[in-house]
Amino acid sequence: MWIVTAVLTMFCFGINNLIFKAISGKMMSKVHMQFFFYLIAFLLMVGYGSIKGFAPFNLLTIVLGAVIGILNANGNIQMTKACENGPASLTSPIISTYTVIPILSAALIFHEHISLIQWIGIIVMLGSAAVIQYSPGSTTGNINYMPWMYRILLSILCFGVLGILMKTSSHLQIDSINTLFCMYGGGAVYLIIQSLVTKEKWRRSEVKIGAVIGCFSVVGYSSYFFSLDTGIASIVFPIVSLSCLVVVLGSVLLYKEKMKLYQIIGVLTAIGGIVLTKI
């Protein structure tokens, strides 16, 4: 079941990334859209938590959840800024290597046992994620190297530490509803501060798109925590990193983009990697 929810997380994150791709270049603030999706997600968690009931809060839950939310928001911001300083086709595969950080932490810190075949599956999935997103036709002449690499490293650090903290929350058996409540609340506060600093113009369309992204985010992260609570984190993380599959396949269906041979091979090997992790 936990592999199913990990795949569901992959689809939710992929759909959100596809939405971001669809609205790129339309003069919408990424900070504002993230704020609205955090706000909508926070309100959804308030409603769900009120019905199902929250577990008792403590300082650790609040701080851990808020830091996860801030890291996720800042990681997305840094990734966007990295794309502004270099080609997205190179930026995305490099940033996707962040998955190695939580995978290693799950094995070294939390002592998860992973068989050789499962390790092969993990490596295949990570390689597939990079191959699917990479575009060899990209030119490096337009790269503003130092800012580009700086933003990439910050994004990798944010997403990598986020994964470790999510596994930590699961390991400490903190109620995922409480964590998500604090995550979206803390992230929303961080993003409103960011909007005051950047002073970008607010647009009504950002509310609508943010609301849609927020709904997918709630489903995605709820499934993510369930997978971490009941499954093997070292396998969950690379499955989630395959959200690029949804972006690539969605681009083929919606924008009639053609898949290159190496991308088709990447899709097939990614599926094979998932199968290997179940053996």
Side-chain angles (χ1 to χ4, degrees):
M1 184 63 182
W2 60 270
I3 285 190
V4 175
T5 53
V7 172
L8 177 59
T9 301
M10 176 194 77
F11 273 103
C12 289
F13 288 0
I15 290 170
N16 277 350
N17 290 335
L18 189 61
I19 293 173
F20 275 116
K21 177 178 179 178
I23 60 177
S24 62
K26 294 188 178 180
M27 303 301 291
M28 293 184 189
S29 168
K30 301 295 189 299
V31 172
H32 292 170
M33 278 188 296
Q34 282 201 86
F35 167 72
F36 284 119
F37 101 60
Y38 266 77
L39 180 62
I40 296 299
F42 175 74
L43 295 175
L44 288 173
M45 292 312 302
V46 170
Y48 182 72
S50 299
I51 295 172
K52 187 175 181 180
F54 289 102
F57 282 91
N58 55 49
L59 182 61
L60 178 61
T61 302
I62 296 171
V63 172
L64 198 59
V67 172
I68 289 173
I70 292 170
L71 286 172
N72 184 57
N74 193 51
N76 287 329
I77 291 172
Q78 297 305 326
M79 181 167 59
T80 301
K81 291 183 178 180
C83 290
E84 293 172 355
N85 288 282
S89 54
L90 291 177
T91 302
S92 296
I94 294 174
I95 291 178
S96 69
T97 60
Y98 81 87
T99 317
V100 174
I101 298 174
I103 288 175
L104 290 176
S105 75
L108 299 176
I109 300 175
F110 301 103
H111 307 294
E112 286 189 349
H113 174 71
I114 306 170
S115 68
L116 177 61
I117 292 179
Q118 289 175 324
W119 270 118
I120 294 173
I122 290 169
I123 294 170
V124 168
M125 283 189 286
L126 290 174
S128 299
V131 168
I132 289 165
Q133 299 173 84
Y134 178 62
S135 177
S138 302
T139 59
T140 58
N142 295 325
I143 295 179
N144 192 0
Y145 187 78
M146 289 305 295
W148 179 62
M149 186 54 63
Y150 170 70
R151 300 295 182 183
I152 283 177
L153 291 176
L154 278 180
S155 187
I156 290 174
L157 181 63
C158 286
F159 290 137
V161 175
L162 181 155
I164 295 175
L165 293 182
M166 287 186 66
K167 175 58 182 176
T168 300
S169 174
S170 173
H171 182 74
L172 296 175
Q173 297 182 335
I174 298 174
D175 192 293
S176 60
I177 298 176
N178 290 38
T179 304
L180 288 170
F181 173 85
C182 297
M183 167 187 161
Y184 289 122
V189 172
Y190 171 78
L191 288 164
I192 197 65
I193 294 173
Q194 281 289 315
S195 70
L196 294 174
V197 172
T198 56
K199 297 180 180 179
E200 294 176 298
K201 184 179 179 181
W202 294 81
R203 292 176 172 82
R204 184 174 297 179
S205 56
E206 294 166 350
V207 181
K208 298 176 182 177
I209 295 172
V212 174
I213 295 173
C215 292
F216 281 112
S217 179
V218 168
V219 175
Y221 271 103
S222 298
S223 302
Y224 207 165
F225 274 110
F226 177 84
S227 297
L228 292 175
D229 287 340
T230 59
I232 302 173
S234 302
I235 296 175
V236 172
F237 290 125
I239 291 177
V240 172
S241 73
L242 292 174
S243 58
C244 57
L245 280 173
V246 180
V247 178
V248 172
L249 295 176
S251 299
V252 172
L253 295 174
L254 298 177
Y255 306 111
K256 308 303 179 184
E257 294 181 3
K258 294 183 178 180
M259 289 184 68
K260 298 177 178 62
L261 178 60
Y262 69 86
Q263 288 179 314
I264 296 174
I265 295 173
V267 170
L268 295 176
T269 55
I271 296 172
I274 295 175
V275 172
L276 286 175
T277 60
K278 294 182 67 177
I279 296 177

